[in-house]
Amino acid sequence: MNNNFSVIMSVYAGDKAEYLDAAVKSIHQNTLPPAEIVLVVDGPVGEEIKTAIKKYESQDPDSFRVVWLEKNQGLGNARRVAMDHAGCEYIAVMDADDLCAPERFALQMKYMEKHPETSVLGGNIAEFIGDVDHIVGKRVVPADNESIYTWLKGRCPFNHMSVFFKKSDVLSAGGYLDWHYNEDYYLWIRMAEKGFTFANLPEVLVKVRVGKEMYQRRGGWKYFVSEYKLQKYMLAKKIIHPLRFAWNVLLRFLLQVLFPNKLRGFVFQHFARN
């Protein structure tokens, strides 16, 4: 099994150096480490993060590549820049405060080599607060291509921090484009329009660090407007029919606009997670 894949990451001023350090260590400790890590520094960051980055560069100058952006451009644009600088056809996405499962990349590369028709491969995630063993939720996504296409009509079918994809296929669909809060969902929709093959592994590939208020924050008018426009896009492209559009928008309006924070948090934690 070859390790000819890039891991792309981004870090910004709101991240913590200790979390970034743990994330990078989890990549290096994988049973199949990547050929390179491409880290985009999305705007000005503090001295602790700069010190951590310099340490990675000195320890692994040939395979740890850093791209510095003068201004913060947002996660979607940072990932686009990282992908532009990645030298491998296979790319794995990683967030700066999450932890890879030790077998993540080996499992994904093995699957992609066995199923070369697959363009995007994700997996399940476990969400934790504080201690890595304090699991508060698990987001399970559909495994096979047909189920993913069906799921996509109502919800994002991938856990983005777990995906492993072919760079050429993603670029052929336009790559990462700006779409407030939903750059990843927008990308999968455009790839689905082109008929690319999707899959998710049943294993937990990433442990995701969340805050106590994370579930509650997934709302507000801007969040709703972004989702509404995405549903409108799918309607215009005939990915969903008018009744499904109305249902999707109604659910989002209730959850993201009308529900108070505590109720929204309860719904996410008890109905959108295992």
Side-chain angles (χ1 to χ4, degrees):
M1 192 187 311
N2 74 78
N3 73 330
N4 188 27
F5 67 95
S6 306
V7 172
I8 62 172
M9 304 175 66
S10 70
V11 64
Y12 81 116
D15 289 320
K16 293 185 177 181
E18 61 183 294
Y19 294 167
L20 174 63
D21 192 54
V24 173
K25 284 181 179 178
S26 77
I27 295 171
H28 285 149
Q29 291 170 357
N30 250 250
T31 56
L32 184 69
E36 64 175 6
I37 299 174
V38 181
L39 175 69
V40 171
V41 184
D42 191 14
V45 294
E47 289 303 317
E48 289 186 352
I49 291 179
K50 289 180 182 179
T51 299
I53 292 172
K54 289 178 182 177
K55 179 185 68 174
Y56 309 142
E57 288 182 302
S58 63
Q59 290 176 346
D60 204 0
D62 295 328
S63 61
F64 193 90
R65 303 170 60 191
V66 184
V67 183
W68 299 83
L69 302 180
E70 290 186 6
K71 297 180 180 180
N72 180 270
Q73 298 184 19
L75 186 56
N77 286 322
R79 282 180 172 145
R80 175 181 55 77
V81 172
M83 192 171 72
D84 289 343
H85 285 80
C88 299
E89 165 64 357
Y90 288 119
I91 291 180
V93 174
M94 181 70 180
D95 282 348
D97 53 1
D98 297 336
L99 303 172
C100 276
E103 300 286 335
R104 174 191 170 181
F105 301 133
L107 289 170
Q108 290 184 299
M109 181 58 80
K110 181 179 179 180
Y111 185 95
M112 295 295 269
E113 289 181 342
K114 188 175 180 180
H115 302 276
E117 75 283 359
T118 303
S119 297
V120 182
L121 174 66
N124 298 325
I125 61 171
E127 297 169 334
F128 70 95
I129 294 177
D131 188 273
V132 68
D133 294 322
H134 182 207
I135 304 299
V136 296
K138 183 179 177 183
R139 187 169 189 260
V140 177
V141 284
D144 63 275
N145 187 60
E146 184 178 354
S147 298
I148 290 172
Y149 268 64
T150 299
W151 183 287
L152 177 139
K153 295 177 182 180
R155 297 172 62 187
C156 183
F158 291 105
N159 292 308
H160 196 195
M161 67 290 291
S162 77
V163 296
F164 192 102
F165 57 71
K166 293 179 181 176
K167 179 177 179 179
S168 58
D169 289 350
V170 168
L171 288 176
S172 72
Y176 288 101
L177 299 175
D178 187 42
W179 194 293
H180 195 48
Y181 297 118
N182 283 293
E183 293 91 351
D184 57 331
Y185 196 0
Y186 183 38
L187 173 58
W188 314 138
I189 291 169
R190 285 181 283 117
M191 293 189 73
E193 287 183 75
K194 290 182 172 288
F196 286 113
T197 300
F198 298 147
N200 279 307
L201 295 176
E203 292 87 358
V204 169
L205 300 182
V206 182
K207 289 188 176 181
V208 178
R209 194 184 305 273
V210 299
K212 294 180 180 180
E213 308 301 321
M214 186 273 292
Y215 299 113
Q216 299 178 16
R217 289 198 306 267
R218 295 188 174 181
W221 186 253
K222 287 185 178 180
Y223 201 103
F224 168 73
V225 169
S226 174
E227 295 249 357
Y228 169 77
K229 290 180 178 178
L230 205 57
Q231 297 300 319
K232 195 172 181 179
Y233 176 88
M234 286 198 287
L235 177 64
K237 296 293 184 176
K238 298 184 179 180
I239 297 172
I240 57 176
H241 52 69
L243 286 178
R244 181 61 185 262
F245 167 78
W247 176 249
N248 287 350
V249 170
L250 176 62
L251 284 179
R252 284 162 170 78
F253 184 75
L254 290 173
L255 185 62
Q256 297 165 0
V257 178
L258 294 186
F259 280 17
N261 284 347
K262 288 186 178 181
L263 180 57
R264 183 188 306 122
F266 178 84
V267 170
F268 265 110
Q269 196 161 8
H270 292 275
F271 297 97
R273 298 292 188 271
N274 288 345

